[in-house]
Structure formats: C-alpha cells, structure tokens
Amino acid sequence: WILSLDADERLTPKLAEELSAIKKLSTQHSALSTDYDGFSIPFRVLFMGKAMRFSGLGNESHLRFFRKDGVALVSGRSVHEIYRLSSGKIGRLKGKITHRPYRDITEYLVKCEFYANLWVQDFIRKNKKLSWLYRWIVPYEFLRCYVLALGCLDGFPGFIWASLSAYHRSVRLKKVKEALKIC
C-alpha cells in the first residue's frame, strides 16, 4: 500500500486508525483486504486558522491510499497530481487528511505566482485558446467560492478565500495573455 501525502498535509488520528486496520487486514490475507484497490480520503482544509467547511473546500476528497500496482498519475498536469486506478474498486475512508496549504497571506501570494506559471505552461502545452468566456472568469470565481459554494458561511476567511481565488484567476489570465502576446 502507498499513502500519498504532501508536506503540508497531516493524518487525523481517526484516519491513522483506519489505515492501520486496512494494513492489518491486508497482512492477514483476509477476504476484506481485496475488496478495494484504493481509498479516497476526505480533506479538512485549514485557512486563516479556521477549518473551511464551504467555499468549495468542504467536500474535497482524493484517491491517496492505494495498492502500489495498478495506479498511475494522470498525465499532462504540472500542478496537483491526480492518481487513477487502472482497475479495481475505490473505497471511501471517514478519517480525514488535514491540509494547511498556506501559513499566511504572503505564502498564498508566493504560491499563487508559482502555480500560475505552471498553469500557463500547461495551457500552452495543451495548445488551448482563450475564449470570450475568460473575461468573466474572475468575477465568476469569486461568486463561485463565496455565493455558490456558500463561502459566506465560512465567515471572514470565506470572503478572503473567495477574493484570493478570484485574484489567482486574474494572475493566471494575465500571464497567459502575456505568454500569447494578447493585450
């Protein structure tokens, strides 16, 4: 079994217990150990000292625990790797991974610049084009995070998250326009 964690992610005690139980079942060659070839794990995202329950972050879950054979990275992405099973069933665990992606706003802005550059590289490598819809992406991102994903219920951190998400989209858009030499 492989558990994929980033440096800014931690296991909750409940998740550690679940993973230990699965490993124990696997080593005992139990019939239950072959039911799943991977497990999707829910995330608890911390931002500005608060667990974000909404803002598009409340239901985040990823395949992060899987058998070493039969899994592959989705190609064509420079940012946020995604694992896929070639076959088999994926279970869902209840324990969570606690993700603290940013210590503060300054770190968010530094990562924003870094991730925007990677996104532009992917955009150009995939030979994508900017459609007229891109002019609406920045206000839409704020509305998506703050209104549609109920970020308003996360309080002030939800407002800041929605604002920073919209800012991130504007940086990406500006960088892709510069790269494509569009004014």
Side-chain angles (χ1 to χ4, degrees):
W1 289 95
I2 293 174
L3 173 65
S4 175
L5 283 179
D6 289 345
D8 57 2
E9 298 170 350
R10 303 289 180 267
L11 304 181
T12 60
K14 183 175 182 175
L15 178 57
E17 288 174 19
E18 283 181 288
L19 297 175
S20 181
I22 292 167
K23 187 174 180 240
K24 186 176 179 182
L25 283 173
S26 290
T27 57
Q28 294 173 351
H29 302 292
S30 166
L32 290 174
S33 69
T34 58
D35 281 355
Y36 298 104
D37 293 302
F39 290 90
S40 181
I41 302 174
F43 276 58
R44 177 178 171 250
V45 178
L46 300 179
F47 181 69
M48 295 179 64
K50 178 180 170 112
M52 303 294 282
R53 294 181 44 228
F54 304 98
S55 305
L57 304 170
N59 294 320
E60 190 175 336
S61 184
H62 303 283
L63 175 65
R64 289 296 195 86
F65 188 59
F66 41 81
R67 295 181 190 275
K68 65 181 176 178
D69 50 345
V71 71
L73 280 172
V74 173
S75 64
R77 291 180 58 113
S78 299
V79 181
H80 300 113
E81 67 280 345
I82 296 176
Y83 296 99
R84 291 258 161 76
L85 287 180
S86 56
S87 64
K89 295 189 324 187
I90 299 175
R92 182 168 167 89
L93 299 177
K94 293 181 179 157
K96 295 183 178 188
I97 290 175
T98 299
H99 184 206
R100 186 177 177 210
Y102 314 103
R103 285 185 297 263
D104 53 32
I105 302 298
T106 301
E107 185 177 20
Y108 182 98
L109 296 173
V110 169
K111 285 186 174 183
C112 172
E113 182 75 16
F114 176 74
Y115 288 135
N117 288 331
L118 292 176
W119 183 85
V120 170
Q121 290 171 13
D122 285 350
F123 188 93
I124 291 169
R125 188 181 66 249
K126 293 176 183 175
N127 203 26
K128 289 186 171 186
K129 304 290 182 225
L130 285 177
S131 76
W132 64 272
L133 291 173
Y134 275 92
R135 76 178 62 166
W136 301 106
I137 195 71
V138 174
Y140 172 76
E141 182 66 11
F142 179 83
L143 289 172
R144 184 189 70 78
C145 291
Y146 196 66
V147 178
L148 300 176
L150 302 176
C152 56
L153 299 178
D154 281 326
F156 187 64
F159 175 78
I160 296 299
W161 182 264
S163 300
L164 288 173
S165 293
Y167 171 75
H168 184 110
R169 293 286 181 157
S170 71
V171 170
R172 287 174 18 178
L173 184 59
K174 179 70 175 155
K175 285 180 174 287
V176 82
K177 284 181 175 181
E178 287 173 358
L180 297 174
K181 311 233 184 309
I182 300 172
C183 294

